[in-house]
Amino acid sequence: MFEVQLKAIEMEKRNSFLDYLLLADESEEIVREYINDGEMFAMLFNGQIIGVAQFIFLQDGIVELKNIAIIEDYRGKGIGKLVIKEAFGLYKMKGLNKMLVGTANSSIANLAFYQKLGFRMDEIKKDFFKKYPTPIYENGIRALDMVMLERDL
């Protein structure tokens, strides 16, 4: 089991984490729209940055997991699950009551991952990914719609 430390990233340093964010969101233009919103954390393992997670705050006590990205060598080891579970506790302590996350209709592994963490499908934003400059394909499926999932904290 990995012991991962989360470290808050100061606003003025966020742009230096752009390459990490682009591991999970392929459009730099879209990432730049939210990079300065909410809270961003670096994931550290043995002092090395292995990923980032960004959360933004919405109305009515809702936090959205906007981006979570882990470098390839550390994926599939339970780190993402650990970070999200830690965020559940953190934001519940801060008085928030719900977490949202969105993923592409084509991201079958992501859909399974979030449901295993207790998220439930809530909304579909049709044609969300049509605004991306280059079409995205995963699992032989074009990413067109954003599937929004939610979980009570």
Side-chain angles (χ1 to χ4, degrees), residues 47-62:
Q48 175 191 349
I49 297 169
I50 61 166
V52 296
Q54 184 167 2
F55 300 87
I56 63 169
F57 304 102
L58 307 175
Q59 74 294 340
D60 301 326
I62 299 172

Side-chain angles (χ1 to χ4, degrees), residues 19-119:
D19 287 345
Y20 289 96
L21 296 168
L22 289 172
L23 294 171
D25 191 329
E26 297 180 18
S27 172
E28 182 175 336
E29 182 182 335
I30 300 294
V31 170
R32 289 196 181 279
E33 288 177 10
Y34 63 76
I35 197 167
N36 293 314
D37 295 339
E39 294 180 328
M40 184 185 292
F41 298 93
M43 296 173 215
L44 300 162
F45 176 68
N46 289 337
Q48 175 191 349
I49 297 169
I50 61 166
V52 296
Q54 184 167 2
F55 300 87
I56 63 169
F57 304 102
L58 307 175
Q59 74 294 340
D60 301 326
I62 299 172
V63 61
E64 180 179 353
L65 171 56
K66 195 68 177 175
N67 190 310
I68 184 167
I70 299 169
I71 61 175
E72 195 167 344
D73 289 349
Y74 292 90
R75 292 181 195 158
K77 300 182 184 316
I79 295 167
K81 184 185 293 187
L82 197 75
V83 168
I84 293 171
K85 285 182 176 181
E86 192 165 323
F88 290 158
L90 171 69
Y91 292 118
K92 184 174 185 164
M93 275 188 354
K94 288 186 175 192
L96 300 166
N97 55 42
K98 188 174 291 203
M99 186 177 289
L100 300 180
V101 65
T103 194
N105 61 284
S106 56
S107 297
I108 294 167
N110 287 352
L111 288 165
F113 172 77
Y114 291 123
Q115 290 179 85
K116 289 176 187 176
L117 282 165
F119 285 90

